[in-house]
Amino acid sequence: MNTSLSWIKAYVPDLDVTAQEYTDAMTLSGTKVEGFEQLDRDLDKIVVGQIEKIEKHPDADKLIVCQVNVGTEVVQIVTGAPNVKEGDKIPVVLDGGRVAGGHEPGQRVEGGIKIKKGKLRGVPSNGMMCSIEELGSTRDMYPEAPEYGIYIFGDDVEVGSNAVEVLGLDDVVFEYEVTSNRVDCYSVIGIAREAAATFRKEFVPPVVTATGNDEDAHDYIKVTVKDTDLCPRYCARVVKNIKIGPSPKWMQRRLASVGIRPINNLVDITNYVMEEYGQPMHAYDLDTIAGREIIVRRAEAGEKFVTLDGQERQMDEEVLMICDGEKSVGIAGIMGGENSMITDNVKTMLFEAACFDGTNIRKSAKRVGLRTDASGKFEKGLDPNNAQAAIDRACQLVEMMGAGEVVGGMVDVYEEERQPSRVKFDADKINALLGTSLTKEEMLDYLAMVELAYDEETNEIVAPTFRQDIHRLADVAEEVARFFGYDNIPTTLPSGEATTGKLSFKLRIEEVAKNIAEFCGFSQGMTYSFESPKVFDKLLLPEDSELRQAIEIMNPLGEDYSVMRTTSLNGMLTSLATNYNRRNKNVRLYELGNIYLPKALPLTELPEERMQFTLGMYGDGDFFYMKGVVEEFFEKVGLHEKESYDPNAGKPFLHPGRQANIIYDGVVVGYLGEVHPDVADNYGIGERAYIAVIDMPEIVARATFDRKYEGIAKFPAVNRDISMVVPKSILVGQIEEVIAKCGGAYLESYALFDLYEGAQIKEGFKSVAYSIVFRAKDRTLEEADITKAMDKILKNLEELGIELRK
């Protein structure tokens, strides 16, 4: 998007800034200026002169000697231009001035060419008359300029005035990078509105007055929109008694400043309104519209159509066409047809201003291989409420320029009117989001500058329909930030755990899990979340197992990746098997990965994703080594209560006598054990393998990193060792539970140091020995203190059928 500074100033009259100031301020307020070009950067000391006298050069047939009045004096200039005569007003570069370049279109010399007085074939020449090319422009932008020769001003130009200003070349053209959600800024009015807010100036948009005679446009044209999903609004007005001619200089200059070649008043009006309002328009010769009817419909398959550029193009059923009662007359939103184009013989004209589906226009332009300025705007998704304003502006310009007689009324097909969006206003939340301390009134003042109104009754910000980017409070906060000034927002420290430069609590727990596993010799592995349903058979899961209730993937890579895993075992066992088959010894792997548990099948809501800490190993190590790794992890994450193990875990994929559920705080938080020999065979693992799986959500809910310092013990400990004969059905965990429960306040620790089964122990029993440590923090313990606690421990052990060894 390009605009000239002079065009912006037409709607922001008090704007008085340099090009660089404008660039910096607009970019900081959110309308990014990519760059700018000063049209007069290479022009200096160029004035309007009038030729008073012309004489032939005494020594050159093709040169003439002119006496030129430049306002302050009469200078002599020698030229070879064939088109000048006495009385002509022409641009003159004075001695020491600069021009842009040579005579060729687009030719420009960096820094310009300096003009000095001198002699041409012996005759003094004090300056130079200029062609439009030498002033840095082209005949495309100044069609009144001669093809060869000096530019001639009209009679209304004052001699001695600045020729650069008269030509409108004392201007700056800005190039913007406009994001696709700011469709309103694809117009000069939209940019001007932003400029007025940025510089705190009054915004004065053009005032559109009512136009039209006493007739009714409905008597001239009928409009039917068959595909309202692709054309939500279609406006049509009629102009009769057309008078084609050049558009006024001010319009030509504004169009030329943004790179649009002036053609004639009708074409220039449509281009002007497209740039001014951001609403593309099209004009048809009404006499070529069969049946005086416009029909908006999808094209027929294979339909061919000749566009204004003379090219035949083939359509498909997704391209939207503008048709009359017999034929297609235009590709909607892209280009009109050759069969309805405006010619010099036009008498009655149909103005079209419509709104089309942006996505369809973009795809259609690609299909037919034709992208235009109009399609580039339509594909962004225009505001349908802007169409009427644009077409009324065009008709106003027609009357203003005497280009025709506007027929009263407008044909308007608009089934569902777009309403302004509303967002709840909360000044406190905006301040919290931005880190500012603005008052509600200050915020509303900033919002009012860009026409975001405040509804006091509902406490809502009402965004006009041209602001299609305002949908939620964050969008409103962005508007406040833009005009308060991003550079004025104070620097504040981040708040909240997620923004303080450290890991969240959950990730810290997972980091501990990684550290413990790697400290114990485990390497991290990563496996797919997609698995095969055959996995459940390999793991010996019964047919009614909940783990078989897996989510099926709609577009799987294949059967082996067709369901989401409900257990992490398959990935771990597959990795162990791969290592075993490659003859790797003593393999230890761990993985932190999600399993996916549906709440119902078929899915009615998102499944539950649970992180699993999975450990697997074979080679050196056994069940108790794996148990030790689990206990080390629990201790590091602050699970200070003693976990317990239930051997009746009932896991079909684990060895029936070497498995256990891990229980903490009365809840099963995981399991561990030796892999069932049949499962190991299924995976091709030829030796004993062990796994542990810990359900991380249960751990995170109970973990803590709070630590309480305890000083070094000042008083001696007292040790007691007991050796017991224990029935084999009694687990050491049960013995430890009794010791912990009955040891009293002075119990410091206990440890199993011997376990024996043999001929010296009676059948069905085993020998178990524990070392128990007592200590008081405030005194040296006496024998009575120890005896009381030991008696209680032994009594409760006897109730379990345990005897002291004699």
Side-chain angles (χ1 to χ4, degrees), residues 236-252:
R237 296 198 68 176
V238 176
V239 180
K240 66 179 185 177
N241 300 327
I242 296 296
K243 298 175 184 178
I244 292 181
S247 53
K249 288 289 190 291
W250 64 267
M251 179 175 284
Q252 292 187 29

Side-chain angles (χ1 to χ4, degrees), residues 233-494:
R233 189 175 195 183
Y234 191 101
C235 300
R237 296 198 68 176
V238 176
V239 180
K240 66 179 185 177
N241 300 327
I242 296 296
K243 298 175 184 178
I244 292 181
S247 53
K249 288 289 190 291
W250 64 267
M251 179 175 284
Q252 292 187 29
R253 299 296 177 257
R254 287 184 183 176
L255 291 175
S257 70
V258 295
I260 297 177
R261 180 170 62 92
I263 298 174
N264 60 49
N265 48 9
L266 295 182
V267 175
D268 290 353
I269 285 172
T270 59
N271 286 333
Y272 185 85
V273 173
M274 179 174 71
E275 294 299 314
E276 186 178 45
Y277 278 79
Q279 171 67 52
M281 300 181 62
H282 191 67
Y284 300 95
D285 185 342
L286 188 60
D287 293 330
T288 64
I289 304 298
R292 295 292 179 98
E293 180 180 16
I294 290 291
I295 301 172
V296 184
R297 60 164 176 81
R298 282 179 166 86
E300 297 175 359
E303 179 178 346
K304 294 182 179 179
F305 181 71
V306 180
T307 48
L308 278 172
D309 57 1
Q311 299 293 315
E312 183 179 76
R313 305 177 190 277
Q314 185 165 319
M315 311 295 128
D316 63 20
E317 298 94 327
E318 294 303 315
V319 177
L320 192 67
M321 301 297 292
I322 308 297
C323 308
D324 61 16
E326 298 175 356
K327 61 187 179 300
S328 297
V329 294
I331 307 176
I334 301 176
M335 185 176 280
E338 193 177 51
N339 55 10
S340 61
M341 65 185 294
I342 297 292
T343 66
D344 292 343
N345 300 319
V346 64
K347 294 182 176 59
T348 307
M349 180 182 67
L350 173 67
F351 259 142
E352 165 196 285
C355 185
F356 302 110
D357 178 71
T359 303
N360 178 264
I361 295 299
R362 176 176 57 81
K363 291 181 177 179
S364 296
K366 190 172 183 179
R367 284 191 184 96
V368 301
L370 180 61
R371 194 171 189 272
T372 60
D373 288 342
S375 68
K377 284 183 165 58
F378 275 122
E379 68 187 21
K380 306 294 189 300
L382 300 185
D383 173 20
N385 292 335
N386 192 40
Q388 181 174 355
I391 201 170
D392 287 345
R393 173 64 166 163
C395 291
Q396 180 191 36
L397 291 172
V398 167
E399 287 193 351
M400 184 188 304
M401 293 160 51
E405 180 183 354
V406 178
V407 173
M410 178 179 72
V411 178
D412 188 7
V413 180
Y414 195 11
E415 289 191 354
E416 185 176 349
E417 184 175 352
R418 180 173 293 180
Q419 299 298 323
S421 61
R422 290 175 168 266
V423 178
K424 278 290 182 184
F425 180 70
D426 190 326
D428 292 337
K429 284 187 177 180
I430 291 175
N431 275 326
L433 182 63
L434 300 180
T436 55
S437 54
L438 296 170
T439 64
K440 175 182 177 181
E441 290 71 24
E442 287 174 319
M443 292 183 186
L444 294 178
D445 286 344
Y446 290 134
L447 297 174
M449 292 191 302
V450 284
E451 301 181 29
L452 298 179
Y454 176 61
D455 187 335
E456 194 168 353
E457 290 186 5
T458 61
N459 189 35
E460 290 177 320
I461 298 299
V462 183
T465 53
F466 64 76
R467 286 302 300 272
Q468 300 181 34
D469 59 315
I470 306 294
H471 302 290
R472 52 188 63 84
L473 189 64
D475 299 329
V476 176
E478 182 183 8
E479 297 302 298
V480 173
R482 288 201 301 132
F483 297 111
F484 173 66
Y486 292 117
D487 52 335
N488 293 324
I489 294 177
T491 302
T492 56
L493 291 174

Side-chain angles (χ1 to χ4, degrees), residues 616-798:
M617 70 178 189
Y618 67 81
D620 291 347
D622 56 14
F623 177 93
F624 295 104
Y625 184 90
M626 186 68 83
K627 178 171 174 282
V629 175
V630 171
E631 291 174 349
E632 179 77 6
F633 169 61
F634 282 11
E635 193 276 330
K636 289 295 183 183
V637 295
L639 303 186
H640 299 305
E641 299 296 328
K642 185 68 176 176
E643 71 278 357
S644 60
Y645 299 87
D646 180 6
N648 300 313
K651 306 294 183 185
F653 42 81
L654 297 179
H655 192 293
R658 298 167 188 160
Q659 60 173 280
N661 278 333
I662 307 169
I663 301 172
Y664 186 87
D665 196 22
V667 176
V668 176
V669 297
Y671 57 86
L672 78 163
E674 180 184 327
V675 177
H676 195 291
D678 291 344
V679 174
D681 287 344
N682 289 342
Y683 282 91
I685 303 174
E687 58 180 283
R688 289 184 177 183
Y690 301 89
I691 59 98
V693 178
I694 300 171
D695 190 34
M696 292 298 282
E698 296 289 354
I699 300 301
V700 171
R702 294 167 172 79
T704 177
F705 288 109
D706 294 339
R707 298 289 188 269
K708 185 177 180 180
Y709 170 75
E710 293 186 2
I712 299 173
K714 298 180 180 180
F715 298 94
V718 178
N719 288 18
R720 290 290 186 271
D721 293 344
I722 56 174
S723 181
M724 300 163 284
V725 178
V726 181
K728 287 186 176 182
S729 60
I730 301 295
L731 303 175
V732 292
Q734 294 173 270
I735 298 173
E736 292 179 357
E737 185 178 353
V738 170
I739 295 173
K741 181 180 179 181
C742 302
Y746 302 130
L747 179 65
E748 183 177 82
S749 64
Y750 51 86
L752 174 69
F753 68 87
D754 185 53
L755 181 62
Y756 173 74
E757 294 181 30
Q760 297 174 344
I761 305 301
K762 57 184 178 181
E763 186 71 24
F765 286 78
K766 57 188 175 184
S767 174
V768 177
Y770 269 88
S771 176
I772 305 174
V773 179
F774 297 92
R775 191 195 306 265
K777 296 180 180 180
D778 56 350
R779 64 187 177 89
T780 300
L781 291 175
E782 298 178 358
E783 183 63 28
D785 298 322
I786 309 301
T787 302
K788 182 179 179 182
M790 288 300 300
D791 288 346
K792 189 175 182 180
I793 290 172
L794 294 174
K795 180 180 179 181
N796 279 271
L797 290 175
E798 289 176 0

Side-chain angles (χ1 to χ4, degrees), residues 48 87-90 151-158 166 249:
V48 176
D88 283 347
K89 294 180 179 180
I90 39 78
Y151 184 86
I152 308 295
F153 288 110
D155 293 336
D156 56 340
V157 178
E158 182 180 350
V166 173
K249 288 289 190 291

